[in-house]
Amino acid sequence: MHRHRGTAVIVLTTLLLYHDTTALKASDLFHICNRNDPQLNNCVKEAIEQLRPKLKSGIPQLKMPSVDPMFIPKVRLVQGSGPVSIDSTFTDIYVTGITNFDIKQVTVDLDNYRVDLQMALPYLYLNSDYTIQGRILALPISGSGDSWSNYTVVTGTGSLIGHKESRDGKDYMKLDQFKFSVDVAHADIHLNNLFNGNKELGDAMNRFMRSNWEAVFKEMKPVVDEAITSILTDIARKVFDRFSLAELFPVG
Ligand SMILES: *[C@@H]1O[C@H](CO)[C@@H](O)[C@H](O)[C@H]1NC(C)=O
């Protein structure tokens, strides 16, 4: 019984999707660059810059959510040993600022299904709920509440890595990963309501983390990178699964 109902829902959804997007062309959404353009890297850089407002609003035709703020449901950070040994969970994370990117470099290598980019971001601001327990540089920390952090003068390095997939006589870039890594010049990290709301202890811990932000960020970075990578991979897949390479990068 349930199986039948499930099938009906899937068929209906497919029909609706088909109806929604069947006429959608890549050129309706993106500035299109010729594959043989000798200035292909620059053209793609401009195309990404022109995409900025759409990255902010999301692209409903592709069911693509906004990346600014970017919503990350949950990140768990468990660090068993070392200077920062904590068990922490951050939920309902909103990351603001990614569309203030200033693209420094784009390298498009369509033969190898790879695009590398480097960008500078004035800041990335995160707020979320958290729970934490453990030690930071020998000091015990515990609590739960809301938190914010501001990472300033951020460098973002991204690589879209894929491989060829042929479907219905067309070649697509099947995206394996949109790997993203951030480096920061400074981080302000603040956890509200530490130690069951004990203000004196909480303020002291926040001051302590402010002076030792490098050690804290170093431990958090792999998890932050991975969370952003997974969101960006999902989003970029929506573009590369939908449009063939001949449509995105026509041979002019
Ligand atoms: C984060 O830092 C940047 C750069 O210093 C600043 O412009 C911005 O206002 C800060 N954001 C918040 C919400 O504090």
Side-chain angles (χ1 to χ4, degrees):
M1 221 27 229
H2 274 106
R3 231 181 101 220
H4 282 118
R5 202 184 308 152
T7 310
V9 170
I10 288 165
V11 170
L12 184 61
T13 311
T14 310
L15 287 173
L16 288 173
L17 277 176
Y18 183 74
H19 181 74
D20 260 6
T21 59
T22 185
L24 189 67
K25 291 198 201 72
S27 57
D28 296 337
L29 298 173
F30 311 116
H31 175 75
I32 298 296
C33 299
N34 272 322
R35 189 177 177 121
N36 297 331
D37 184 344
Q39 299 289 319
L40 179 61
N41 290 341
N42 264 333
C43 182
V44 171
K45 178 174 184 279
E46 273 167 37
I48 298 171
E49 266 152 16
Q50 287 182 24
L51 205 55
R52 195 189 305 265
K54 288 200 180 80
L55 290 171
K56 196 145 194 168
S57 62
I59 304 179
Q61 297 100 312
L62 294 178
K63 302 205 177 308
M64 189 192 278
S66 169
V67 296
D68 194 1
M70 180 188 289
F71 176 68
I72 303 176
K74 182 173 172 173
V75 168
R76 179 145 186 239
L77 176 56
V78 182
Q79 196 75 21
S81 58
V84 176
S85 64
I86 50 174
D87 184 344
S88 58
T89 305
F90 297 85
T91 47
D92 293 338
I93 308 164
Y94 288 90
V95 184
T96 313
I98 207 162
T99 56
N100 297 325
F101 57 75
D102 175 12
I103 301 203
K104 295 296 182 192
Q105 203 181 331
V106 179
T107 313
V108 182
D109 180 357
L110 290 176
D111 292 334
N112 290 305
Y113 299 86
R114 181 169 179 137
V115 179
D116 290 282
L117 33 109
Q118 268 180 300
M119 62 183 89
L121 307 162
Y123 68 90
L124 279 180
Y125 181 82
L126 277 71
N127 61 293
S128 72
D129 292 329
Y130 80 92
T131 65
I132 193 166
Q133 190 159 325
R135 283 173 179 276
I136 294 186
L137 305 173
L139 289 191
I141 182 170
S142 70
S144 64
D146 61 286
S147 78
W148 60 262
S149 41
N150 199 3
Y151 303 94
T152 49
V153 197
V154 178
T155 313
T157 311
S159 302
L160 288 99
I161 301 163
H163 61 271
K164 181 166 98 171
E165 188 184 77
S166 301
R167 251 191 284 142
D168 307 324
K170 292 181 194 161
D171 288 344
Y172 290 80
M173 170 155 156
K174 186 75 193 166
L175 192 71
D176 299 311
Q177 206 181 32
F178 185 169
K179 203 168 152 42
F180 199 78
S181 159
V182 294
D183 276 298
V184 305
H186 188 75
D188 256 343
I189 299 167
H190 197 91
L191 305 177
N192 289 320
N193 199 50
L194 278 168
F195 306 109
N196 276 324
N198 183 317
K199 186 167 157 41
E200 210 171 308
L201 287 177
D203 286 353
M205 180 47 98
N206 278 308
R207 273 197 304 275
F208 181 75
M209 285 195 298
R210 183 163 299 171
S211 5
N212 293 285
W213 70 269
E214 272 173 303
V216 178
F217 179 71
K218 189 165 161 264
E219 304 303 322
M220 289 176 67
K221 176 180 152 56
V223 187
V224 171
D225 286 349
E226 199 189 300
I228 297 180
T229 289
S230 109
I231 304 280
L232 290 181
T233 301
D234 269 4
I235 287 174
R237 266 194 193 128
K238 296 197 158 120
V239 176
F240 289 102
D241 285 351
R242 178 73 184 82
F243 301 111
S244 69
L245 281 173
E247 208 177 337
L248 288 169
F249 297 98
V251 180

